[in-house]
Amino acid sequence: HPSTGSGQEPVRLVFAISLSDTRKVVNVRSGLVVHNTLELPMEVILDPPTDTEASSISLPLIKPVSFYAIPLHFTHWDIRVRPQGWGLKFCTLPLTWAQNAPTSLRECETIGDTINHSFRFCVQVKQESFPSFTLSPLTPSPGHTLII
């Protein structure tokens, strides 16, 4: 069980119910999703809050035009991405759901001293229409889709 800082951050659970053949399938996930609308696979790394001694973790590759729900224990960690196999660093500014900016620009720079062929992309923050849930105005719970 990984450390999540103070352990007091609220987490939103989403129960997605679907039918597969004649069976109901219940998928339990966090309310924080990264949706890759690009035609490139994207690597994802999560950086822990600065007040913890935990290490960064890598998530599975997000395939082109697909999505990935951030694991429950990590919804308050910094999310950074980069295109797979392009020789680029992870974006310096993390993707964030807690800010009020609905769309923002991110950039991944070249690794090493070669010519700078940076990769720029937009991130749109979509707040999902989940019921309002917050323990306090200072600790909102994630119910967002980060669209890249």
Side-chain angles (χ1 to χ4, degrees):
H1 179 306
S3 170
T4 57
S6 67
Q8 300 301 313
E9 298 93 351
V11 175
R12 182 180 305 275
L13 289 176
V14 175
F15 295 87
I17 302 170
S18 62
L19 289 175
S20 176
D21 297 324
T22 59
R23 298 181 184 163
K24 285 184 184 177
V25 176
V26 179
N27 185 5
V28 181
R29 63 172 176 82
S30 74
L32 183 58
V33 172
V34 177
H35 183 185
N36 179 12
T37 61
L38 303 174
E39 294 182 7
L40 305 167
M42 298 295 282
E43 295 180 52
V44 181
I45 192 167
L46 302 177
D47 293 327
T50 55
D51 61 345
T52 67
E53 293 182 20
S55 299
S56 298
I57 63 163
S58 294
L59 294 181
L61 196 67
I62 302 178
K63 294 178 183 175
V65 194
S66 65
F67 70 90
Y68 185 83
I70 301 298
L72 293 169
H73 295 91
F74 305 111
T75 57
H76 291 272
W77 285 33
D78 286 342
I79 304 166
R80 296 187 303 130
V81 300
R82 70 178 175 193
Q84 180 192 34
W86 282 37
L88 299 170
K89 299 176 188 175
F90 283 96
C91 57
T92 52
L93 289 174
L95 312 185
T96 180
W97 57 269
Q99 305 298 325
N100 290 328
T103 305
S104 58
L105 183 66
R106 294 294 187 274
E107 182 175 14
C108 301
E109 297 176 349
T110 309
I111 295 174
D113 295 332
T114 61
I115 298 172
N116 187 7
H117 294 288
S118 62
F119 178 82
R120 293 183 182 99
F121 60 98
C122 285
V123 179
Q124 178 184 0
V125 179
K126 178 183 174 193
Q127 185 168 1
E128 299 297 343
S129 59
F130 296 127
S132 176
F133 170 76
T134 183
L135 298 176
S136 82
L138 299 176
T139 56
S141 61
H144 300 73
T145 300
L146 304 174
I147 304 167
I148 56 175

